[in-house]
């Protein structure tokens, strides 16, 4: 490929953080109208690369050329002026501002000679941009009221505003559902058709194969290869990323008949009502549903994070009343939250400290923490989960998103709970780690733990679940097991009646498992 | 020998400043290289600066070295203690201290005594165990103002603007005023409100009181700063002709305000002169004289009638005026 | 669709209130009303028109300072130096006035002095990256020292009578200070809710890193906020100077606490990103009515302190209870 | 592998410093050393042993309060009520002592009184969800009022001489208050760095919601922290009472500002989640040496104020510069 015609060329980029080299002499180019995948495991340096491109970080060495001319990007504003827009992996929104205000933040449409914000004009343009993505998002609503998925769409909309020539997307679909991805894919095609260059970071191979023309693979901060998508296979890319084979075994059930947890008539007085399910030891229960169907809310009620207004939770034959997550944890229930940054991590504390939070007592004797034992256990756990870099004393906030997720999951392994609730457990997790997590879930189930997995990824639900409950508008719409677990049936139950054109099958009467 | 806790307002072992020379002879000449330190309450109030001027001039007159330090702000008790201790380290012969509270300088007093220093408690708060006190009778400030009302008015509603709650001087002044005026005729103290020595708070309190009692005839404020705030509130309410306002301390702004016909009067406790007397007492003690435990300093109610007699720069002349009384 | 109807319902509720108002402010208003009812019952004078004007007048200075403080707090900072800033501006303005400099010029100079103090604070915070608390604590000493040294500790008298009578006058029966603060508050409301600067301030306070990435001029925004606070401190000092007829270098002692209290009562969060102009005004009036009511009832000094403490806490509890888990 | 060697290198660097110490504290230490050098050159008395002990003694009360404040600040709160809490504990303890209650009992009661104030603050913050600033501002008035009312505004004299001579004595030449605070600091260092409570406090201050979901007893942690602050205020009041020989209901005026300043100079962030025991101790000593040195040089009060302001800011700038973009 003639490099002179490249829209964007990154050359010899190097970036070190204290104690780690995040990028080591990485180069690649993106052509006009090209959708270029940037792939690699968690911590490979993808976000760092994009952050350098959009001048959030300064590189230690290397240069950036646009249309063959070196550019000097000093701050995010200058990057934008150079025609580079970015969708950040960690949502960079201001909760107190409205959707439109967030989209236009830093470059408001103004009236009265620049003195006042022209809210109406902003909202009109925001609505126009959002129309392609999710027309249900009302531009005048505060972002704090939106679900994560909707916030992510706002983040995408923001990048589209500038009419940039280069759009860098860092895991834009991590909390989106397939139909929302379809919208985005169509949009990407349209943008590419207009000659824009797009860098697309994702851990979802199907997306990469659907939208990308070429892809560059990074491993441990180093360039591995650039491939043309049409001339390669998923397996090859994964092998390049991981440097080893990843097994994709089928599902094995370890479910027993022993009831671990039974929830009935659970409600929060708002969205959730009459929710109930039974969970057996060794069983993996998938929870499917549309965004906003109340899956997260239901898990939070079970985990004692929000207070239930109705319903009973019976664990190991005892009725529990959780007044706090701590109560639930003492009863042996742990939750891996959906919003990692907000509900999961304590940024400035080490991975070891974050892991130990729920079970400080077990790592203490005579009121003091046994730091050595804690570090040893944390290191062992994290080695097993391939934490990168493998330093459990490092502040968790300095790790890539995927690696943070590993630490949060590790927390419940250390705490040795018997019921694990996963809310979107593999969001932002690389292929290798994902299959590791699936294996982990299986191992845990085999060890007799009971597991609930909420996921918006159909493949994930199908891969891990022994049974599936489908939620719709705050209620359990169906419980499926065995052969009933098919993509079609799950979708049919998930879509609200009024919205569905004609459900392929009549929804089954809701049936609680009484054993 | 343990001294009985001192109450400077009622201690019987006292002498008036005017009697010092008569009873103990002329000032002795201090030894060469004598150094005296002064620990003030704060320098943000003119009263304490004037006291320092008095110290300095008496020190100059006797040819002794003098250093004057103050807490960073009024109410900083520990800060003042540290400053006193730091001065003790520098080895002065005598220390003149005006404590923030009755006890915040107690350790400094003790360590100064153990270093063999002479310690004089000058005005305001009183350290109970102190052997030598120089200052005025706080209660008297209020009594004098009350007496003016009793002499000059038929009776009516009056109000008090108090200093910081819990401060000795504030309590005594308020008490002296209230007790005297309520015993002395047809007067009613309708309000007694703290304004924490602040001009602004005093202004607000006074305007609120006037709102409620438009027939008020007088205010007594625990210091001049607050009194000047009250004066503005009275003027703003258009009641300047009806309401008399008194302050305490006799700072120069109070004098100016009396001359301008705004402030009715203030009880001047002559800080410069007080400073001179205090320094004199310290030097006499250094010379080995055995003085009474309390040396009372002068006070006078200043109004437009007598202001010219007291408004003199030269303390020698002022001494003469006061001694002539 | 559930979402849509929910939104529609929320809209409907909102439209019943004036646009300037939000639910959080309603809680604060309720606290104020409660205090009014209690004092109204206990003292016959309290609810008379002159006394209400009196309360507004007495609250105006704190309100002025607290408005600036609110902006600083929203931006994620704090300004402990407002009192000494006011003092420095006052002595600067007063000494110019006394020296015969034309009034408007002297007033501008005073405002300039206040904004300069604010600029100094803001620059140290924005460019040197120091903690706001510690910078403005240093400023607290620094500006106080400068005004004490400049005046030798003595108040400056001789403020021109025309200035004094302007400040002490009224407009259609409303005291001038109240009018001034009302106008300032209206402008600040627009700035916070309708101008790019307002969005920047909310963004910087809500998530500084996201703001930076979005291209918000973070440093400039912070400096502006501290300059605003300094300027408003200067304005307050001018009002006070007009009322008291003197510029005292010790002016403004403990103003920061009152101002922060007003802002916090009005719903500002010291974590940044949250705060309301109207809430702060209500907060200042709550504190003003408290002091006024207790004085009217001639509550003894110690018990005034007691009542102040209890009422602040109870007001916050009521506010909290009415607005729920906000 | 690069990773491994890099990490190994970082580890190696770390191990050169004692474990108790972190890089942030080194910056503060540098500030302190600078102040020592400057004053040492300017005043011959400054670096003498008695004066250094003097500085430690004078800093001990602020250090004691500031340690409690550090824990509160790390947990994301603030405690403005430390001064009045100290006063209330002092009058409680003193009145029991004077009434002839055995000394240890009276001391326990005083500590209990302080912790009770802290519990009240903490419960309002943790359970009612009020803002720490406003709760402890209310407490500031409330506890002061209670101690004034209880004593009628008069100090309580007649502290048992054996208690006084204990506090005023020394251990191996080190003043007892310094020893007490050193022991307390050592315990607190262990609590913060080696105990579950310490982890909880850091987590609650760093991200309260995540901490709650991870099973941290958030409410209990917060209450503990305020009780600790109240207890340390009581301890400080006992030390001061021993030194002064009286319990004054006005004790502790402005302590909160000094304590917050010491904590902030020592690296505590008012946003929560950050702070260090050693840093705070150094911060208190910095403030103490500052005052000591300026007095030794006989700097006049106004210029002392000026110097204090400038030095605080300059110390923070140096600290900032040495530790880089931390
Ligand atoms: N601000 C930072 N400070 C220190 N280290 C950092 C920082 N940001 C990233 N790193 C480190 O740089 C490496 C690369 O991280 P990066 O976020 O680029 O990974 P990524 O490829 O985007 O991973 P993921 O798929 O999990 O998002 C990681 O080891 C991470 O810990
Ligand atoms: N935009 C919104 N604003 C306010 N509330 C919302 C919004 N979207 C959803 N909700 C509330 O949250 C409810 C359920 O959200 P929840 O997170 O439980 O769904 P979920 O099925 O877990 O979806 P996700 O896939 O995002 O995790 C919604 O039905 C609605 O009541
Ligand atoms: Mg990433
Ligand atoms: Mg969810």
């Amino acid at each position: 490929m003639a490099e002179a015609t490249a829209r964007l060329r990154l050359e010899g980029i190097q970036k070190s953080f204290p104690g780690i080299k995040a990028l080591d002499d990485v180069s690649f180019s993106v052509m006009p109208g090209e959708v270029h995948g940037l792939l690699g495991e968690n911590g490979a340096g993808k976000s760092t690369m994009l952050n350098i491109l959009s001048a959030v970080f300064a590189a230690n060495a290397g240069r950036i050329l646009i249309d063959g001319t070196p550019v000097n990007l000093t701050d995010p504003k200058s990057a934008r002026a150079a025609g580079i827009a970015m969708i950040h992996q960690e949502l960079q929104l201001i909760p107190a501002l409205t959707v439109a205000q967030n989209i236009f933040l830093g470059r408001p449409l103004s009236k009265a000679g620049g003195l006042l914000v022209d809210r109406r004009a902003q909202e009109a343009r925001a609505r126009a941009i959002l129309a392609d993505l999710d027309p249900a998002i009302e531009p005048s609503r505060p972002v704090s009221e939106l679900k994560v998925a909707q916030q992510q769409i706002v983040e995408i909309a923001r990048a589209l505003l500038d009419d940039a020539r280069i759009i860098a997307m860092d895991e834009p679909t991590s909390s989106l559902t397939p139909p929302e991805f379809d919208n985005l894919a169509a949009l990407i095609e349209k943008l590419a058709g207009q000659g824009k260059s797009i860098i697309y970071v994702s851990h979802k191979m199907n997306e990469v194969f659907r939208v990308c023309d070429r892809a560059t693979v990074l491993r441990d901060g180093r360039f591995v290869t650039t491939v043309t998508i049409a001339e390669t296979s998923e397996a090859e890319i994964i092998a390049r990323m991981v440097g080893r084979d990843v097994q994709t075994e089928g599902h094995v059930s370890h479910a027993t008949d022993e009831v671990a947890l039974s929830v009935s008539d659970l409600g929060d007085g708002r969205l959730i009502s009459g929710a109930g399910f039974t969970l057996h030891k060794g069983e993996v229960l998938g929870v499917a549903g549309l965004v906003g169907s109340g899956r997260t809310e239901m898990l939070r009620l079970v985990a004692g994070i929000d207070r239930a207004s109705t319903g009973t939770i019976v664990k190991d034959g005892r009725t529990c009343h959780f007044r706090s997550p701590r109560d639930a944890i003492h009863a042996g229930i742990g939750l891996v939250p959906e919003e990692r940054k907000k509900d999961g991590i304590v940024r400035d504390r080490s991975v070891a400290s974050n892991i130990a939070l729920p079970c400080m007592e077990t790592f203490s004797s005579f009121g003091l923490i046994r730091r050595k034992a804690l570090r040893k256990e944390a290191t062992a756990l994290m080695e097993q989960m391939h934490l990168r870099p493998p330093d459990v004393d490092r502040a968790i906030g300095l790790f890539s998103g995927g690696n943070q997720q590993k630490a949060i999951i590790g927390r419940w392994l250390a705490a040795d709970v018997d019921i694990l609730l996963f809310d979107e457990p593999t969001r932002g997790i690389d292929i290798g780690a994902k299959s590791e997590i699936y294996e982990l879930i299986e191992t845990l189930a085999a060890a007799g733990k009971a597991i609930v997995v909420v996921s918006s990824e159909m493949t994930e639900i199908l891969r891990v679940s022994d049974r599936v409950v489908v939620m719709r508008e705050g209620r359990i719409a169906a419980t499926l097991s065995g052969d009933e677990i098919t993509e079609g049936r799950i979708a049919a139950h998930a879509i609200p009646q009024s919205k569905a054109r004609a459900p392929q099958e009549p929804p089954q009467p809701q049936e609680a498992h009484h054993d | 020998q343990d001294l009985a806790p001192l109450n400077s307002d009622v201690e019987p072992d006292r002498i008036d400043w005017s009697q010092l020379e008569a009873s103990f002879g002329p000032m002795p000449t201090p030894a060469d290289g004598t150094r005296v330190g002064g620990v003030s309450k704060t320098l943000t109030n003119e009263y304490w600066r004037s006291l320092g001027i008095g110290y300095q001039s008496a020190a100059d007159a006797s040819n002794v070295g003098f250093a004057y330090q103050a807490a960073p702000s009024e109410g900083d008790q520990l800060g003042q203690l540290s400053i006193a201790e730091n001065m003790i380290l520098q080895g002065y012969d005598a220390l003149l201290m005006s404590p923030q509270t009755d006890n915040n300088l107690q350790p400094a007093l003790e360590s100064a005594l153990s270093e063999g220093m002479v310690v004089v408690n000058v005005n305001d708060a009183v350290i109970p165990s102190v052997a030598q006190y120089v200052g005025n009778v706080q209660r008297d400030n209020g009594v004098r103002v009350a007496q003016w009302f009793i002499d000059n008015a038929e009776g009516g509603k009056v109000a008090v603007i108090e200093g910081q709650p819990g401060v000795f001087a504030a309590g005594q002044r308020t008490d002296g005023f209230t007790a005297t005026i309520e015993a002395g005729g047809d007067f009613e103290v309708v309000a007694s409100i703290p304004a924490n020595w602040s001009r602004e708070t005093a202004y607000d309190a006074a305007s609120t009181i006037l709102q409620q009692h438009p027939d008020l005839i007088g205010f007594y404020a625990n210091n001049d700063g607050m009194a000047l705030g009250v004066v503005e509130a009275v003027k703003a309410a258009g009641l300047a002709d009806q309401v008399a306002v008194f302050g305490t301390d006799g700072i120069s702004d109070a004098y100016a305000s009396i001359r301008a016909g705004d402030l009715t009067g203030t009880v001047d406790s002559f800080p410069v002169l007080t400073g001179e007397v205090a320094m004199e007492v310290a030097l006499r003690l250094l010379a080995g004289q055995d003085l009474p435990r309390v040396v009372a300093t002068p006070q006078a109610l200043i109004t437009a009638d007598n202001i010219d007699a007291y408004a003199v720069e030269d303390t020698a002349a002022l001494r003469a005026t006061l001694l002539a009384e | 669709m559930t979402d849509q109807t929910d939104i529609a319902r929320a809209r409907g509720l909102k439209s019943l209130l004036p646009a300037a108002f939000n639910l959080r402010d309603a809680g604060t208003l309720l606290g104020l009303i409660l205090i009014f009812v209690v004092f109204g019952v206990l003292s016959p004078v309290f609810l008379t028109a002159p006394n209400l004007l009196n309360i507004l007048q007495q609250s105006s200075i704190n309100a002025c300072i607290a408005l600036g403080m609110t902006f600083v707090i929203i931006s994620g900072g704090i300004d402990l130096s407002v009192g000494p800033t006011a003092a420095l501006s006052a002595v600067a303005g007063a000494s110019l006035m006394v020296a015969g400099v034309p009034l408007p010029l002297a007033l501008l100079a005073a405002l300039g002095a206040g904004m300069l103090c604010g600029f100094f604070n803001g620059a140290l915070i924005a460019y040197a990256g120091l903690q706001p608390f510690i910078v403005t604590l240093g400023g607290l000493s620094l500006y106080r020292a400068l005004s004490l040294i400049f005046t030798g500790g003595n108040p400056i008298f001789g403020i021109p009578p025309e200035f004094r009578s302007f400040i002490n006058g009224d407009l259609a029966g409303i005291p001038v200070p109240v009018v001034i603060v009302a106008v300032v508050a209206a402008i600040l409301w627009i700035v916070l809710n309708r101008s790019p600067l307002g969005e920047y301030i909310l963004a910087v306070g809500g998530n500084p890193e996201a703001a930076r990435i979005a291209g918000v001029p973070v440093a400039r925004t912070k400096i502006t906020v501290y300059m605003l606070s300094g300027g408003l401190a200067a304005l307050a000092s001018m009002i006070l100077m007009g009322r008291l007829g003197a510029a005292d270098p010790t002016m403004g002692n403990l103003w920061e606490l009152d101002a922060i209290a007003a802002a916090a009562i009005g719903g500002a969060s010291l974590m940044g990103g949250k705060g309301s102009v109207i809430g702060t005004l209500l907060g200042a009036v709550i504190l003003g009515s408290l002091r006024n009511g207790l004085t009217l009832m001639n509550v003894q000094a110690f018990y005034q302190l007691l009542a102040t403490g209890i009422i602040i806490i109870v007001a916050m509890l009521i506010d909290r209870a009415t607005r729920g888990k906000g």
Side-chain angles (χ1 to χ4, degrees), chain A residues 310-357:
Chain A
T310 61
T312 45
I313 297 174
V314 180
K315 179 172 182 290
D316 298 331
R318 276 186 310 137
T319 306
C320 306
H321 295 283
F322 300 144
R323 303 210 320 281
S324 68
R326 193 174 174 76
D327 290 349
I329 292 163
H330 282 315
I333 300 177
L335 170 82
V336 177
E338 178 180 12
E339 291 185 58
R340 189 167 48 229
K341 192 166 148 195
K342 184 169 144 277
D343 296 335
I345 62 167
V346 182
R347 282 194 70 82
D348 291 335
R349 303 299 294 158
S350 67
V351 166
S353 289
N354 270 281
I355 287 177
L357 268 188

Side-chain angles (χ1 to χ4, degrees), chain A residues 17 20 22 42-48 89 203 389 394 398-400 402:
Chain A
F17 293 110
I20 184 158
N42 296 133
K46 305 179 295 293
S47 296
T48 305
Q89 180 177 11
H203 292 294
R394 202 161 173 247
L398 300 182
F399 283 84
S400 74

Side-chain angles (χ1 to χ4, degrees), chain A residues 466 480-487 489 505:
Chain A
D466 298 328
L480 309 174
S481 56
D483 295 342
E484 297 167 349
I485 306 179
T486 63
E487 209 166 328
R489 289 185 72 139
E505 296 157 84

Side-chain angles (χ1 to χ4, degrees), chain B residues 49-50 65 82 89 106 118 127 130 140 186 194 216 264 293 306:
Chain B
R49 288 198 300 273
S50 304
S82 297
L89 269 180
Q106 178 71 31
V118 158
I127 308 174
V130 81
D140 251 19
D186 211 5
L216 199 83
T264 316
R293 196 171 177 193
N306 63 5

Side-chain angles (χ1 to χ4, degrees), chain B residues 39-44 48 69-84 97-106 121-127 164-170 197:
Chain B
V39 182
S40 162
K41 207 165 153 179
T42 167
L43 292 187
T44 56
W48 301 103
Q69 289 271 318
S73 68
E74 188 153 0
D76 187 356
Q77 304 167 8
L78 270 186
Q80 194 192 27
L81 174 60
S82 297
I83 282 174
M97 337 196 276
S98 309
Q100 301 270 0
T101 72
D102 294 354
N103 49 56
N104 78 311
L105 293 188
Q106 178 71 31
N121 183 163
V122 185
N123 227 339
D124 227 334
V126 181
I127 308 174
Q164 191 88 38
V167 172
F168 176 78
W197 307 126

Side-chain angles (χ1 to χ4, degrees), chain B residues 50-130:
Chain B
S50 304
L51 193 72
I53 293 171
Y55 289 154
Q56 187 71 57
S57 78
D60 290 346
S62 296
N63 234 341
V64 300
F66 176 69
Y68 196 43
Q69 289 271 318
S73 68
E74 188 153 0
D76 187 356
Q77 304 167 8
L78 270 186
Q80 194 192 27
L81 174 60
S82 297
I83 282 174
E85 286 174 337
N86 296 339
M87 291 192 81
I88 290 166
L89 269 180
Q90 289 165 291
Y92 291 97
D93 297 292
L95 219 49
L96 304 163
M97 337 196 276
S98 309
Q100 301 270 0
T101 72
D102 294 354
N103 49 56
N104 78 311
L105 293 188
Q106 178 71 31
L109 171 65
E110 286 165 15
S111 61
L113 292 180
S114 72
E115 299 283 317
M117 295 183 189
V118 158
V119 178
V120 181
N121 183 163
V122 185
N123 227 339
D124 227 334
V126 181
I127 308 174
S129 62
V130 81

